[in-house]
Amino acid sequence: MPKRVDPDARREQVADAVIDEIAEHGLRSVTLARIATRTGLAIGSIRHYFGDHVREVMRFTLGVLIQRAVGRATTMSDDPVTRIADMVTFATPTSEQERKENAALVEYRVMARTDPEFAADSAAMSLAAAEVIRSLLRQALADRVVDEESLHREALLLFTLIEGFSFSTALLSAPLREADVRAVVTATMERLRDAYPPAEAEGRYRGRPPALAGAQLEEVRSAFTDHGTSIAALARAHGVSRAAIRTALTGLLPGQPGLPVLIPTEGPAEASS
């Protein structure tokens, strides 16, 4: 009895051969003859699974690449901010195999610019990724005051970050380090959250939180200089953003000029003397 062949496994084998061919010689070098050489299959066998045209093989391989890229994000944190870092990290190629697959995917996307047959799949992938990012970002900024236009721009920024990792990795000789990618995304999310004021849980106000002044300002500056309290801890203790704390610490942080305003103490006479 001849050995039974799993059709799905055979198609995956052909797709892997196409990915290897693209990684070494570029997408336009892919032919049925080259695929046959890489897989050890007869051209007739390849046609049995995909038909007579190499483009059917190419379309199937693009689907495999998209599925593998999406499938990297298998487990993600319950925290929405960490989930964004997880998603970007999983989407970024950090191993040789992922880098090879990413290089092939990038070539497909470049080809899609002038090839309508691949354009639809490429556009659908980008649209789906952008929607996921926007949804996660909305959750991550649920405790901040962010209007829809700002949310749109911040989602675009994160999407551009992912695209940058993808396209730059395709040009590098080695994959990026996962720790570096996660650190970049985490720092980006911290700066992003600091840019928007917190929305008070009880809903007593919406908009910019009250500025630190008077005794509260003195307390913040004293805690920072005398006790080394971190900016994050001060923000939590006083219910304001880290940006508000940095403003209160003007003149105390490295590279900042002195406090730009005069704070009256007893009355007009002292302020003008």
Side-chain angles (χ1 to χ4, degrees), residues 31-45:
T31 63
L32 292 179
R34 284 179 176 269
I35 296 170
T37 300
R38 285 186 176 275
T39 58
L41 299 173
I43 291 180
S45 295

Side-chain angles (χ1 to χ4, degrees), residues 16-31 33-35 37-38 58 100 103-104 107:
D16 283 329
V18 173
I19 292 168
D20 288 342
E21 180 67 25
I22 294 173
E24 291 185 27
H25 302 291
L27 189 144
R28 297 186 184 278
S29 73
V30 178
T31 63
R34 284 179 176 269
I35 296 170
T37 300
R38 285 186 176 275
M58 302 297 289
K100 184 189 302 183
E107 292 225 16

Side-chain angles (χ1 to χ4, degrees), residues 157-180:
L157 171 65
L158 285 176
F159 183 68
T160 303
L161 182 63
I162 296 176
E163 295 280 81
F165 280 139
S166 174
F167 279 87
S168 64
T169 303
L171 302 176
L172 297 174
S173 59
L176 296 171
R177 294 196 313 165
E178 182 175 334
D180 291 339

Side-chain angles (χ1 to χ4, degrees), residues 28 32 36 45 57 98 118 140 177-178 197 210 242 261 273:
R28 297 186 184 278
L32 292 179
S45 295
V57 182
E98 290 174 359
F118 293 132
R177 294 196 313 165
E178 182 175 334
R242 278 181 267 188
V261 297
S273 62

